[in-house]
Amino acid sequence: MKQDLKQQAHQIIDALGSPQNIKLMTHCLTRIRIAVLDRNQVNQAALKEISSISGVVSAQGQLQLVVGPALVNPLYRYLQQQLQPTKLTQVSSKIVQKSQQNWLQHGLTVFADIFVPILPVLVGAGILLGLGNLLTASDLFGVQSLTSRFPQLDGLTDMIHLVANTAFTYIPVLVAWSATKRFGGNPVLGITLGLVLCNETLLSGAKVSSILAGTVKPTYWRIFGLRVMQVGYQNLVLAPLLAALLMVQIEKFLKKHLPAVLQTILVAPIAIFIAAFFTFLVIGPIANQISTWIAEPLINLFKTQPIIAGLLFGLLWEPLVVSGLHYALIAVNLQLIASNQQSQMIAIIATICMAEVGADLAVARLERNNNRRGVALSAAVSSLLGITEPSIFGVTIPHRYPFLCVMGSAGLAGILVALSQEYAVSAGPAGPLSLVIIPVQFWKIHSLILLISFLAGFISTFVTGTIITQRAAQIARPAEFD
């Protein structure tokens, strides 16, 4: 396996033109992202023939090689090893210079760079949260919950909830760390800033609505005539992101203008304090308002127009994944989960992969080429575990019609999720494993929607493929003459 990946790394570099043509390289959970100097030297057809690559995407000013979560790290290491002697590869989140992207592409890249690294922590916390809910659920393993029947599980359950809730309560720490690293600052300063924003002595950010309603009286710092509200930003993502951006700019300014002998003792306290001060004074309230403007319309749409909301979100999710625009929704869903511990959008995402599974199996059933059939079956297994990109780029988009069938099936699943009012309590696995992030009372309907999504994907793809195959055969059949 190692030798195969080494050889494929050589093939990838050759297909990219040469080591000298590679400017920057990094990776996310499923893709190796590459910026090249000359696109004309890239042989995309050769890249698509490499067995570890499920698809090649040209988006956001970069080439993205879809290899899946199992291969992305080892393959990237082999590529890095082979490029190190040239000293041309730079492991940097800033994979593409601003000049190669428009403002929207650049913004999406920034969101991806910040939130993708912290997703494994939040997914893990979601799984633990689901396990804790499983232990405390009634009418699942009998009338009483497992903790009621076995009191010795109480301590374990409490610890599970403690660990799971910590990740969401202190999400500002994760965001500030990742954002500071992305913007080129000292990540330790980001951690400290995040801890400041959710310090336990501050009034919980969840009580802001109560403050506005007049039921909770806040306290203030009085600084040079200014009144600064002592409110924290627990469970929020936008405020720590913007605070980290400001802090990094201050840090860079100080490092540029202060003598080296003073930087060690002055940069950290000045950068952290100024960033915290302006966050409590201006950035935090503005970020809260922006978060409200974004989240409330989505929540209200699912409440008042569930069919439209579910259809649109389900229908458009896979095209958003293809374009990379789905990263714009990561922060929104993390905010919903952190503040409300529920998101219908994540519940919809969890069902969409089953439509991909159905489409993959239908393509495998219709496909006569053994190699392409094997690719479809492999993609089906990946989709079943919630990783749909090998299916999207290796099966459904290359065949065209299955991708449209998946979109329609996903739209149907989205409608059913929205109408059932089920939701996920965390980011987490998709497909059958998504039950761990779905409240127990929705397990039956969620399982049914997973099945419907699978059947819709399979049946629509198989029927459409059969019709297309028959018509193609009729066109190819020679005319008969009397």
Side-chain angles (χ1 to χ4, degrees), residues 8 11 47-54 71:
Q8 290 178 38
Q11 295 172 357
L47 286 172
K48 293 177 181 179
E49 293 298 320
I50 298 173
S51 61
S52 60
I53 298 177
S54 303
L71 296 179

Side-chain angles (χ1 to χ4, degrees), residues 265-300:
I265 60 175
L266 293 181
V267 170
I270 294 175
I272 293 173
F273 181 81
I274 294 178
F277 175 79
F278 281 102
T279 300
F280 288 124
L281 181 65
V282 179
I283 295 175
I286 292 176
N288 273 343
Q289 187 59 57
I290 293 175
S291 298
T292 300
W293 286 339
I294 295 173
E296 283 192 355
L298 289 173
I299 295 174
N300 290 334

Side-chain angles (χ1 to χ4, degrees), residues 215-392:
T215 57
V216 173
K217 186 176 181 180
T219 56
Y220 295 87
W221 290 294
R222 298 184 183 277
I223 305 173
F224 301 116
L226 297 172
R227 292 206 318 164
V228 182
M229 189 183 299
Q230 298 182 27
V231 62
Y233 293 92
Q234 302 90 342
N235 307 108
L236 297 174
V237 298
L238 187 56
L241 190 158
L242 297 176
L245 175 59
L246 173 61
M247 185 186 67
V248 170
Q249 304 312 311
I250 297 170
E251 179 189 358
K252 290 180 178 179
F253 176 84
L254 293 173
K255 286 184 175 180
K256 182 178 180 181
H257 292 89
L258 283 178
V261 69
L262 296 178
Q263 290 183 13
T264 302
I265 60 175
L266 293 181
V267 170
I270 294 175
I272 293 173
F273 181 81
I274 294 178
F277 175 79
F278 281 102
T279 300
F280 288 124
L281 181 65
V282 179
I283 295 175
I286 292 176
N288 273 343
Q289 187 59 57
I290 293 175
S291 298
T292 300
W293 286 339
I294 295 173
E296 283 192 355
L298 289 173
I299 295 174
N300 290 334
L301 184 62
F302 273 94
K303 286 183 179 179
T304 59
Q305 302 290 338
I307 294 179
I308 295 176
L311 174 63
L312 288 178
F313 190 83
L315 195 67
L316 297 177
W317 178 252
E318 296 295 64
L320 289 175
V321 172
V322 173
S323 64
L325 292 172
H326 64 301
Y327 287 120
L329 293 173
I330 290 179
V332 175
N333 279 286
L334 291 183
Q335 179 64 71
L336 291 174
I337 290 295
S339 57
N340 304 319
Q341 286 198 342
Q342 59 179 266
S343 169
Q344 283 194 295
M345 287 182 283
I346 290 180
I348 293 174
I349 294 169
T351 64
I352 290 175
C353 68
M354 294 305 295
E356 289 282 356
V357 175
D360 292 335
L361 293 180
V363 170
R365 179 69 179 83
L366 294 167
E367 187 60 68
R368 296 181 179 180
N369 182 285
N370 288 331
N371 183 50
R372 290 195 290 266
R373 183 184 296 118
V375 170
L377 291 173
S378 176
V381 174
S382 179
S383 297
L384 192 64
L385 298 175
I387 308 297
T388 59
E389 287 171 308
S391 171
I392 292 173

Side-chain angles (χ1 to χ4, degrees), residues 102 149 177 259 374 391:
N102 59 42
R149 292 168 58 188
W177 163 79
S391 171

Side-chain angles (χ1 to χ4, degrees), residues 26 34 36 75 79 87 103 131 171 184 226 260 299 312 336 366 378 398 412 425 428 452 464 473:
T26 187
I34 303 167
V36 295
L75 184 57
L79 286 168
K87 297 182 179 179
W103 66 270
L131 178 59
I171 197 172
L226 297 172
I299 295 174
L312 288 178
L336 291 174
L366 294 167
S378 176
L412 173 62
V425 297
I452 292 173
T464 305

Side-chain angles (χ1 to χ4, degrees), residues 5 19 103 152 170 208 215 247 300 424 433 441 476:
L5 287 180
W103 66 270
Q152 61 268 34
Y170 293 97
V208 171
T215 57
M247 185 186 67
N300 290 334
L433 297 177
Q441 65 266 30

Side-chain angles (χ1 to χ4, degrees), residues 18-69:
S18 68
Q20 289 72 26
N21 193 40
I22 299 171
K23 181 168 61 174
L24 297 172
M25 180 180 295
T26 187
H27 69 87
C28 59
L29 295 178
T30 58
R31 310 183 194 187
I32 293 174
R33 299 165 180 263
I34 303 167
V36 295
L37 295 172
D38 183 3
R39 284 291 184 95
N40 294 326
Q41 295 185 32
V42 178
N43 187 341
Q44 289 201 32
L47 286 172
K48 293 177 181 179
E49 293 298 320
I50 298 173
S51 61
S52 60
I53 298 177
S54 303
V56 179
V57 184
S58 180
Q60 301 176 26
Q62 58 187 267
L63 282 174
Q64 302 176 8
L65 310 182
V66 182
V67 297

Side-chain angles (χ1 to χ4, degrees), residues 134-135 137-146 149-150 440 443:
L134 188 66
L135 294 173
S138 302
D139 299 321
L140 185 61
F141 301 103
V143 177
Q144 293 182 313
S145 67
L146 288 177
R149 292 168 58 188
F150 305 101
V440 174
W443 274 17

